[in-house]
Amino acid sequence: MPAPTRRQSNARKDNVEDAACRTRLNGLFARKADTLTLMPEGGKAEAYRGSRAACDGDDIEKCGVYDLLRDFPAIDAFVVSKSLYECGEYQLVSRRSGNVTVTSEVPRLSPSGRCLLSIDNSDVCERKYDVAIWSAQSDPPKLEFRYKAKPYENWEVAGWDADDRLRPRAEVSTDKGAYIRTPSAPP
């Protein structure tokens, strides 16, 4: 899932998280129009102020939409999407401390919940990594692995075989053509 853009955020025009989310996280967040406020258990409340009207009116500088997308109870964290005019990010926010870890997609947990995986396949925005893995055993999560390709690569992961084993595949584009890269077929 690439970083959110205003076009993706338009699907939620009313700035209201779904009913199941509101029930499950009752008291841990509040929504008032374009402002999403998270209330971590051990930290101070953090207000995310957006402007959907600026996005709809093409005011690129002021455009911003914040949505609470996901709850990870296994690691006591929320995922907030920060949608900008063209690019955006996902923020993994600790429910305990309010610490924020920025990712390029909604992170995926390993089978035991010890690790988080994020893949950046953006064709439009700057990539800080192609594949990144964090340890979810600390607050904030500690970056354990970061891979940034020299040629253009789009990675995907079919799943986790174990906490320390992924099933990856990449489409690699070079000036000599494109090919598929897997652990059994390196460049």
Side-chain angles (χ1 to χ4, degrees):
M1 175 182 297
T5 67
R6 80 174 178 126
R7 288 178 252 319
Q8 292 167 326
S9 69
N10 279 341
R12 297 174 74 167
K13 290 186 186 291
D14 55 1
N15 269 334
V16 176
E17 282 66 23
D18 67 49
C21 182
R22 288 193 313 269
T23 300
R24 190 173 56 256
L25 300 176
N26 187 28
L28 295 175
F29 83 98
R31 163 72 70 191
K32 184 174 180 181
D34 285 344
T35 301
L36 170 67
T37 304
L38 298 181
M39 295 166 264
E41 295 157 2
K44 65 177 190 169
E46 181 69 33
Y48 294 82
R49 290 179 181 81
S51 177
R52 188 174 303 272
C55 298
D56 293 342
D58 292 329
D59 187 348
I60 296 169
E61 297 300 317
K62 293 181 182 174
C63 174
V65 177
Y66 294 91
D67 288 313
L68 181 59
L69 290 186
R70 178 127 190 231
D71 178 37
F72 282 108
I75 60 170
D76 289 328
F78 307 109
V79 175
V80 173
S81 72
K82 177 182 179 181
S83 304
L84 302 172
Y85 187 79
E86 290 245 335
C87 297
E89 64 190 26
Y90 295 92
Q91 298 179 0
L92 182 74
V93 182
S94 169
R95 286 172 41 173
R96 293 184 301 273
S97 66
N99 286 328
V100 175
T101 302
V102 175
T103 64
S104 298
E105 73 170 357
V106 174
R108 292 182 260 171
L109 283 173
S110 65
S112 74
R114 289 188 355 220
C115 298
L116 294 158
L117 167 71
S118 177
I119 296 174
D120 190 338
N121 282 328
S122 176
D123 290 331
V124 178
C125 306
E126 177 188 354
R127 291 187 189 186
K128 295 183 175 112
Y129 55 82
D130 286 283
V131 178
I133 299 174
W134 291 265
S135 168
Q137 302 299 298
S138 61
D139 184 4
K142 180 180 181 228
L143 184 63
E144 297 283 337
F145 174 81
R146 180 179 167 269
Y147 173 72
K148 185 156 173 70
K150 289 185 178 152
Y152 182 78
E153 298 179 355
N154 273 333
W155 284 89
E156 61 184 52
V157 172
W160 295 85
D161 286 334
D163 275 342
D164 59 350
R165 297 197 51 84
L166 297 167
R167 290 188 309 265
R169 175 182 180 274
E171 293 180 25
V172 181
S173 296
T174 69
D175 56 351
K176 296 177 183 171
Y179 62 93
I180 301 297
R181 180 176 170 194
T182 64
S184 60

